[in-house]
Amino acid sequence: MIQTVVKRDGRIVGFNEQKIMAAIRKAMLHTEQGDDESLIQQITDNISVNGKPQMTVEDIQDMVEMELMKSERKDVAQKYIAYRHERSIARRAKTRDIFLEIINIKNNDVTRENANMNADTPAGMMMKFASESTKPFVDDYLLSDEAREAVKHNYLHIHDKDYYPTKSLTCVQHPLDHILERGIMAGHGSSRPAKRIETASVLACISMETCQNEMHGGQAIPAFDFYLAPYVRYSFIEELKSLESLEGRSLEHLYDIKLNDFLTQPLEGLKGDDRVVQHAINRTVARTHQAMEAFIHNMNTIHSRGGNQVVFSSINYGTDTSAEGRCVMREILKSTYEGVGDGETAIFPIQIWKKKRGVNYLPEDPNYDLYQMACKVTARRFFPNYLNLDASYNQDPDWRADDPKRYLHEVATMGCRTRVFENRFGPRTSIGRGNLSFSTINIVRLAIECMDEKDKETRIAKFFAKLDDMLEVTARQLCDRYNFQKTAFAKQFPLLMQSLWIGAEKLNPNDTIASVINQGTLGIGFIGLAECLVALIGKHHGESEEAQQLGLKIVTYMRDRINDFSERYQHNFSVLATPAEGLAGRFTKIDRKQFGIIPGVTDREYYTNSNHVPVYYKCNAKHKAEIEAPYHNLTRGGHIFYVEIDGDATHNPKVIMNVVDMMDKYDMGYGSVNHNRNRCMDCGYENADPQLAVCPRCGSKHIDRLQRITGYLVGTTDRWNHGKLCELNDRVTHVDGGNQLSLFDRL
């Protein structure tokens, strides 16, 4: 006798004979003779009694077919078989429709989910086919019932869900010295340790490109200047050695000569060792420049995984004050300023300048000249972004200016915004660590569901109760994913779990990664704080002090609960100001369909990114900074601050410095500037003319605006999804009447 049924999604439920009867009755009603209740009961009884204690839905349907075929009602059997076939097609219809859209390269939110992946190429199509096929499997077999329901009803988004079955982690900050000093094993070949700047540059690329295939998120180098500096000196020594035969003498006494900087100078008037040293410097600078050019070129052209997608790469630098480290920074900045190809702005790596008082922020600081240069480059090329090491939560008491490895105690970030620093299970560092996985709560929907409460205090209290429930669900979902991830073997991530992840050197290939991945973080994100506040009290935090205080209360509550989860589950939980791309429109579309258009809430095609002031809200940069700054300390899983400026910033780097001053004044952690940059999609020509319609070089009208989508750049808005395009069109500048941002006094 049948007792339980295994459904198609793997769930086990109690047997319900009424479902068999309803299916047979529906088939009979489509025949000329109509239904026959006695036959329906007879067939149902036979199946119930003769079936196994536990059966699948498909097996039960097979028995129904056989019973109908044995009866006199062959017409009913035919209708039942046809109906069953139609239902099977219907279940696959959504997948079919999605696949057809991919095949026909439709421009929609499925194919434009990731703006830096070309889903129109064969590799891109395969990536999307795999992605869209995997997500239903995750829903059906890997998620708990409560997590599945939260996703289904638009309360929760699980990022990179298509990678869930692979057990991969999100991102990592590469300890590049491990690669440069030991070499790398990639595929069937291996490389020797680096001995010169060119090799170091190539190995830096290979490290990130190889690891990108082992992870579903980004790759970053936390101290690009410190890691590559020794190879500038090695190259300098190599140049001296090449001169020894020409000079007819040993130059070994110059190998370790103290240099204040590596600056190209003419040789005229120089003699003896001075001439030799300057010649070696000139050659070393030229080689370093070429190595940096090659690094940028490779990071923008070598496709690391399906979809013609280059590595989602970031590099952090700014605090190495050695002559060699300064040479690396100067040449990477020069190469970035010059552009790639025909002078196009490089999309990757996302470059991050680590701003630090006493090192590079004030005029008397040793790297101040390079900071000025960085601002000049940002004014033309968007990068570098700026990471504030002086923010109260980014400081480490173990950092010392005379420590040659002080970068171990410096925060580094992913370009998109992901931050990893605090650690309950090891050193407080960014290096060799990353995010394991993250999920985002739709706090707007929670607020909408409370709008029927007339009393404001009751409405807000109801919202916090709903938020608390969803935080609990999200924490459990992340723990479930963590427990699944930790069962992976080290050999599944041959580079990450051999040379990059902290503690991985202790693992053998057949060991699980359970003992080391707790060094990473689990992120709980949120989206649409502005719309959430409008739903609760009628105004967003940019326009109301009351709303600002409520916004801070909401995110503080999230921070406190997430700290509780860290204790309860013994993981590094953190709050993330979610860098929503496809999600910004997806959440809104579903909520609007159910709740309709609510002014200030669902009346646009997107929800505002995390805790930002809405992009359409007109205010100056100072006001935006004052509102958004307090959230940075609360969102230690990652955050970012933007300022939108109008016109050509190329010749006005002071505007960039003013934004960094705001970050310093208001204790913000990470930020940058958006400005005009046009690009001819036919010849690559770029300028900042806001009215450019025709390329002055080739006459093409195929002009696109280079824009930042979340924390990274996108070479063409053709690949943006609908929601983010609407957001782009709504963006306003944060200056008063086109004037410069006011310069703050440096404290």
Side-chain angles (χ1 to χ4, degrees), residues 10-59:
R11 287 177 294 154
I12 299 175
V13 299
F15 173 63
N16 183 355
E17 66 176 20
Q18 292 298 320
K19 292 191 175 183
I20 295 177
M21 298 176 74
I24 299 172
R25 188 177 295 112
K26 184 176 291 186
M28 285 181 170
L29 291 175
H30 284 81
T31 64
E32 291 184 2
Q33 294 186 49
D35 65 344
D36 182 339
E37 288 297 327
S38 62
L39 181 58
I40 292 173
Q41 189 64 57
Q42 177 186 335
I43 292 175
T44 302
D45 290 343
N46 288 343
I47 293 172
S48 301
V49 172
N50 296 320
K52 298 176 182 177
Q54 185 174 90
M55 298 187 69
T56 66
V57 171
E58 294 290 341
D59 288 342

Side-chain angles (χ1 to χ4, degrees), residues 443-444 447 463 527-537 554 601:
I443 62 173
V444 187
F463 167 81
I527 191 172
L529 180 65
E531 291 79 9
C532 169
L533 293 170
V534 173
L536 290 175
I537 62 173
I554 290 170
V601 182

